[in-house]
Amino acid sequence: MIVDYHMHTARCGHADGSVEDMVEAAIDKGLRQVGIADHAPMLYADVPMLAMSPDELPSYVDEVLQAKEKYRGRIEVRLGIEADYHAPTQGERVSMIELYPFDYVIGSVHVLGDWIFDNPADVGRYEDIDLDDFYVEYIHTVREMAESGFYNIVGHPDLVKKFDKRAAINLIPRYRELLEAVKRAGMCYEVNTAGLRWPAREIYPEPAFVHLAAEIGVPVTFGSDAHCPEDVARDFDQALALVRGAGYREVATFQGRIMSCVPLPEGQPPDEHGHDDQGGDE
Ligand code: ZN
Ligand code: FE
Ligand code: FE
Ligand code: ZN
């Protein structure tokens, strides 16, 4: 089996599609399990274009829980959320999320200091920084996220490459430290195909990270980071080939914040089987 555990809805202010639209796209792609993981309220900033506001969280949860019931027997729907890691607001974030029955929480670092570095509106700031220092600080912050013990999945592990601003230093020793912390925390990471749709033109994380993670024994799951129904499970043929090539035979799934690993499909992923209504959309 393969799952898509990372997708957004119109509620976050920069995506198209309701929860049901995303679930139906997943059914059309042939998935048997799907997870919605919209952007949690940021708490460190109030930008309606970047995430739902705190008062929208209860209705988000309700909508996903209703979809779980509605689609039972056709597809398993998981209640996820993509939450930032941001140390100064962490206590508030944890108490907010713990109020709801999430199946998993994706931990994503999108902000360093006061810079939301993956926001296209703020891309000019890359001109003012030392890229090597920036990568090191980012990887260190992702490690802190893992060590906080709150999250289940490392979101887009090398998001810093999104705009194709690359570090010159060897990142492997830092990835190793990070992955050892991820393993100790009992977490997995996601192979996220959205990187293919940004200037990086590469899946998150890079192949060397995936191979190292497989060697260390860190489980993996999958996310398209779809912000519209058309992108659900997009490029999962490439994601599956990468993961299989690194030696993985299982995908991590979650229910009630508990991980269980299930075998990956042997053949091509579902979106390559040529469903009549979706054929050739890539
Ligand atoms: Zn988004
Ligand atoms: Fe993200
Ligand atoms: Fe996302
Ligand atoms: Zn994301």
Side-chain angles (χ1 to χ4, degrees):
M1 155 157 118
I2 196 164
V3 299
D4 186 344
Y5 264 15
H6 191 154
M7 61 192 68
H8 297 276
T9 73
R11 193 174 264 103
C12 73
H14 59 277
D16 295 315
S18 63
V19 169
E20 291 194 3
D21 294 335
M22 303 309 271
V23 171
E24 285 176 14
I27 293 171
D28 288 344
K29 288 278 183 176
L31 298 183
R32 284 155 48 204
Q33 188 181 123
V34 66
I36 311 290
D38 213 348
H39 294 286
M42 298 163 81
L43 305 178
Y44 53 89
D46 181 15
V47 189
M49 295 273 297
L50 292 182
M52 71 177 88
S53 66
D55 54 296
E56 289 173 294
L57 185 56
S59 66
Y60 167 68
V61 170
D62 280 350
E63 203 180 329
V64 179
L65 293 179
Q66 281 170 24
K68 265 193 198 214
E69 292 307 316
K70 175 171 175 176
Y71 293 97
R72 196 178 293 280
R74 287 202 275 163
I75 191 168
E76 290 179 68
V77 177
R78 295 288 187 259
L79 173 62
I81 196 151
E82 180 181 20
D84 291 281
Y85 174 76
H86 176 251
T89 52
Q90 204 56 17
E92 198 186 340
R93 181 168 298 102
V94 167
S95 15
M96 172 180 76
I97 290 172
E98 281 184 338
L99 292 173
Y100 302 96
F102 286 105
D103 288 309
Y104 60 88
V105 179
I106 299 177
S108 291
V109 174
H110 302 109
V111 61
L112 290 172
D114 67 344
W115 183 24
I116 303 169
F117 62 83
D118 74 321
N119 183 1
D122 278 342
V123 74
R125 282 178 70 169
Y126 281 91
E127 303 313 314
D128 307 328
I129 60 158
D130 181 292
L131 285 170
D132 291 343
D133 293 347
F134 171 65
Y135 273 65
V136 168
E137 185 190 353
Y138 170 80
I139 295 169
H140 178 83
T141 308
V142 177
R143 180 151 65 94
E144 273 185 15
M145 180 274 287
E147 286 169 347
S148 78
F150 179 64
Y151 300 86
N152 301 111
I153 301 169
V154 180
H156 37 58
D158 59 356
L159 178 67
V160 276
K161 74 183 177 193
K162 177 173 179 174
F163 300 110
D164 205 33
K165 313 288 186 193
R166 304 281 183 158
I169 52 168
N170 177 15
L171 299 172
I172 296 299
R174 270 98 182 174
Y175 285 158
R176 184 178 288 280
E177 285 176 359
L178 166 59
L179 282 162
E180 279 163 358
V182 171
K183 185 174 186 184
R184 280 194 300 273
M187 296 171 65
C188 71
Y189 68 100
E190 65 167 359
V191 163
N192 178 317
T193 54
L196 292 167
R197 310 196 291 273
W198 290 101
R201 293 277 177 262
E202 185 180 75
I203 285 175
Y204 308 116
E206 63 173 300
F209 183 110
V210 177
H211 284 259
L212 185 59
E215 175 197 315
I216 293 173
V218 181
V220 66
T221 194
F222 296 88
S224 63
D225 218 336
H227 285 68
C228 58
E230 297 71 38
D231 284 347
V232 172
R234 185 152 174 191
D235 297 318
F236 271 25
D237 51 339
Q238 290 184 56
L240 186 55
L242 172 64
V243 161
R244 279 241 202 73
Y248 284 100
R249 291 294 173 266
E250 296 186 319
V251 54
T253 68
F254 289 87
Q255 190 162 24
R257 305 269 254 141
I258 306 291
M259 187 194 300
S260 49
C261 293
V262 302
L264 285 166
E266 289 300 322
Q268 290 295 304
D271 62 332
E272 293 300 294
H273 278 169
H275 288 262
D276 300 341
D277 49 347
Q278 289 286 320
D281 65 341
E282 295 182 11

